[in-house]
Amino acid sequence: MPTVEFGGKSFNVDEDGFIDDYKNWSEEWVQYVKQQEGIDELNDEHKKVIDVLREYYEKNGIAPMVRVLSKVTGFKLKHIYELFPSGPGKGACKMAGLPKPTGCV
Amino acid sequence: MAFVSSGYNPEKPMENRITDIGPRKYDEFYPPVIAKNKGKWLYHEYLQPGVLVHVAESGDEVYTVRCGGARLMSTGLIREICEIADKHCGGHVRWTTRNNVEFMVDDKSKVQPLLDDLAGRKFAGGSFKFPVGGTGAGVSNIVHTQGWIHCHTPATDASGPVKAVMDEVFADFQNHRMPAHVRVSLACCLNMCGAVHCSDIAILGYHRKPPMLDHEYLDKMCEIPLAIASCPTAAIKPAKVEIGGQKLNSVAVNNDRCMYCGNCYTMCPSMPLADTEGDGIVIMAGGKVSNRITAPKFSKVVVAFIPNEAPRWPTTAKTIKNMIEVYAADARKYERFGEWAERIGWERFFDKCKLDFSHHLIDDFRDPAYYTWRQTTQFKF
């Protein structure tokens, strides 16, 4: 597994740049992914999406369905794409430290 | 090669970004005779296997030459197709829904030179690059999937068995001797991408062993509730395991309930189940999608297991060849494979094709299994 260094911390990531373990997530990881995903500036809305994702994952053991994410955050899918250009899976879940989405994606 | 930019700026990924433009509109690529006569075709005929003529109200004719394609193609081969299209068809060419290639010309005199050109083209190994055929009551191209070329859940290969089977039935690609057309499809796992569930003969990759559990990584890599919900027989339940003195969240698989579908591996990378000896091929038969005479049918399992025999899959190819021969000899005109089997009765089908009937073929999946059993005294000894 490749290791990336960022902000004085090191993270193990897979070939798609997802973190190896949810527990190794930290504020530096968010900054690292922000750079990777081409997001200029993190605002409160980004943080809200990430908080919702982490809270939901801790409680349920899965990432929320897109409709649930939309409903809980109050952001339409279009707005989530504006916040995370790669989308809720590749962008937001990666930044929140959730496991890589699986299935026929 | 060193990096060459397309003009995309990774510093500003959203700048000058074009999205949601969809595919090019189909009529941009119409040959002139198609564009002119669209919606005004009167009738069509098969001139010979692989060659069709359509006649329009205006009297215009368009001749179509259909060639087999391997589906998995290099740009070199695509360029050669373009070169043929430039030479004979004014630069126009199309692909069919079974991944054959069709060249169209607007005059009968242009057909023979095109056929001669196509027949002369072979790969260095000797295979035809553009075998003409695939029309009428024959065996057209095999709809297939990724296999070991690209997918991570296959139980068999796709391109390999397809080549082996098409070699075996090649004469029927270029012939119309069948009672009706025979559609052969392949899927390399029972996700059944493509058409195996509704084909006259279907080749399906199949596992025979339960998944291996990578407990150390399972909770990190997977969303455990998804893995549990992915199981059609509820063989998976959440479990705590102890690895190296550490309590970890994981799952437990009840092997007695597992039927090796591999859905859990699709959802969870820590549950791989591919196995060299365990994996192989299931043959299904009797499906169709058209509404002609009888309603569409699902294909049914007729051979429970054939091992993977790379690179030529001889048992698979031979079994299919045999089924096609028996069908060709016994079925009535216009009768599809499934219609034939249902008319003579499946017990006769197994008899005639000399296929073994094993308990694996008896449906045991939930309530609907009951409807597949025989609730009548009508059968043949």
Side-chain angles (χ1 to χ4, degrees):
Chain A
M1 233 179 207
T3 313
V4 294
E5 302 277 341
F6 195 87
K9 284 214 176 187
S10 72
F11 304 99
N12 291 325
V13 298
D14 66 8
E15 71 277 13
D16 293 313
F18 278 80
I19 198 164
D20 66 334
D21 191 343
Y22 176 79
K23 294 181 190 113
N24 296 342
W25 180 87
S26 67
E27 198 48 46
E28 287 82 3
W29 173 257
V30 174
Q31 295 302 323
Y32 165 72
V33 177
K34 171 189 153 215
Q35 182 205 28
Q36 295 289 305
E37 292 293 306
I39 297 166
D40 291 333
E41 217 167 314
L42 287 179
N43 56 30
D44 288 350
E45 293 184 329
H46 288 100
K47 296 215 170 71
K48 186 170 179 191
V49 172
I50 289 170
D51 287 345
V52 166
L53 285 173
R54 287 189 63 84
E55 215 170 280
Y56 192 95
Y57 185 77
E58 263 163 49
K59 193 169 155 205
N60 300 298
I62 59 173
M65 280 175 284
V66 169
R67 293 177 60 142
V68 173
L69 182 65
S70 263
K71 198 164 182 182
V72 176
T73 56
F75 303 149
K76 290 222 163 76
L77 185 59
K78 190 162 183 290
H79 189 60
I80 294 175
Y81 269 91
E82 283 160 10
L83 297 171
F84 299 94
S86 309
K90 275 183 69 188
C93 282
K94 187 198 276 187
M95 194 178 269
L98 268 53
K100 183 158 63 185
T102 55
C104 299
V105 287
Chain B
M1 194 168 66
F3 175 72
V4 178
S5 172
S6 63
Y8 167 74
N9 179 5
E11 303 297 318
K12 293 180 177 165
M14 303 302 278
E15 194 180 73
N16 297 328
R17 179 167 171 264
I18 300 167
T19 67
D20 301 320
I21 54 171
R24 295 281 294 272
K25 195 168 180 225
Y26 46 87
D27 61 9
E28 291 174 50
F29 307 99
Y30 278 161
V33 61
I34 299 286
K36 182 184 163 203
N37 296 293
K38 186 185 177 187
K40 294 170 195 150
W41 300 104
L42 280 182
Y43 64 93
H44 68 275
E45 280 175 60
Y46 296 127
L47 299 179
Q48 67 184 73
V51 183
L52 298 94
V53 58
H54 286 76
V55 180
E57 288 167 4
S58 63
D60 283 354
E61 293 176 332
V62 58
Y63 294 84
T64 305
V65 175
R66 186 177 295 170
C67 315
R71 193 181 76 98
L72 199 68
M73 290 177 176
S74 65
T75 45
L77 192 64
I78 305 281
R79 286 210 178 95
E80 189 166 341
I81 292 169
C82 295
E83 178 212 315
I84 297 169
D86 282 339
K87 199 161 132 193
H88 298 275
C89 319
H92 297 281
V93 63
R94 70 180 290 271
W95 265 257
T96 70
T97 53
R98 297 192 81 83
N99 307 303
N100 291 307
V101 186
E102 286 186 349
F103 296 103
M104 284 178 272
V105 292
D106 52 12
D107 194 87
K108 190 156 195 181
S109 64
K110 296 177 182 169
V111 175
Q112 199 54 46
L114 173 59
L115 287 174
D116 294 342
D117 188 358
L118 293 170
R121 291 174 191 258
K122 286 187 171 188
F123 288 105
S127 307
F128 287 104
K129 276 182 176 170
F130 307 106
V132 173
T135 54
V139 181
S140 187
N141 215 346
I142 299 183
V143 167
H144 64 281
T145 54
Q146 311 244 12
W148 298 332
I149 293 278
H150 196 72
C151 189
H152 73 300
T153 63
T156 186
D157 191 23
S159 300
V162 164
K163 167 70 173 154
V165 172
M166 277 317 284
D167 280 350
E168 192 75 27
V169 302
F170 184 65
D172 282 313
F173 181 77
Q174 305 197 299
N175 205 322
H176 287 172
R177 71 172 176 122
M178 291 289 147
H181 51 264
V182 177
R183 297 289 187 239
V184 186
S185 307
L186 175 147
C188 44
C189 79
L190 32 75
N191 257 6
M192 296 194 178
C193 300
V196 284
H197 65 296
C198 57
S199 294
D200 294 290
I201 294 178
I203 311 164
L204 183 63
Y206 183 66
H207 301 286
R208 290 187 302 169
K209 295 187 182 179
M212 296 164 272
L213 298 172
D214 215 344
H215 290 300
E216 196 183 334
Y217 297 104
L218 200 137
D219 189 31
K220 298 175 183 173
M221 306 274 286
C222 312
E223 302 167 62
I224 289 174
L226 291 191
I228 293 163
S230 73
C231 185
T233 57
I236 304 173
K237 61 180 181 186
K240 295 245 187 243
V241 292
E242 208 171 303
I243 301 267
Q246 249 188 316
K247 279 247 185 229
L248 294 172
N249 291 328
S250 186
V251 297
V253 176
N254 178 353
N255 289 350
D256 289 341
R257 287 190 72 91
C258 179
M259 58 177 183
Y260 334 119
C261 69
N263 278 356
C264 53
Y265 177 58
T266 302
M267 299 316 293
C268 172
S270 300
M271 303 178 77
L273 78 165
D275 183 272
T276 311
E277 281 78 37
D279 295 354
I281 279 170
V282 165
I283 306 271
M284 299 159 71
K288 73 190 199 71
V289 286
S290 81
N291 243 321
R292 195 196 60 177
I293 304 173
T294 58
K297 299 177 199 301
F298 283 127
S299 34
K300 296 186 189 330
V301 178
V302 295
V303 179
F305 187 75
I306 299 174
N308 276 328
E309 301 162 314
R312 296 295 298 173
W313 280 266
T315 314
T316 305
K318 220 172 66 204
T319 309
I320 289 172
K321 172 76 173 165
N322 171 51
M323 281 164 64
I324 289 180
E325 287 302 334
V326 175
Y327 159 75
D330 198 64
R332 294 173 183 164
K333 195 164 168 61
Y334 304 124
E335 209 166 40
R336 292 288 294 268
F337 202 99
E339 296 169 332
W340 165 64
E342 282 180 12
R343 173 174 61 82
I344 63 174
W346 284 95
E347 67 271 28
R348 274 285 183 278
F349 164 82
F350 281 94
D351 233 26
K352 282 179 193 275
C353 290
K354 299 192 170 58
L355 294 173
D356 286 332
F357 187 92
S358 65
H359 69 277
H360 302 100
L361 309 185
I362 302 170
D363 195 346
D364 57 358
F365 190 66
R366 304 202 172 169
D367 295 354
Y370 177 79
Y371 300 103
T372 67
W373 305 339
R374 193 186 301 266
Q375 277 126 74
T376 168
T377 54
Q378 300 204 2
F379 71 96
K380 298 190 186 81
F381 282 104

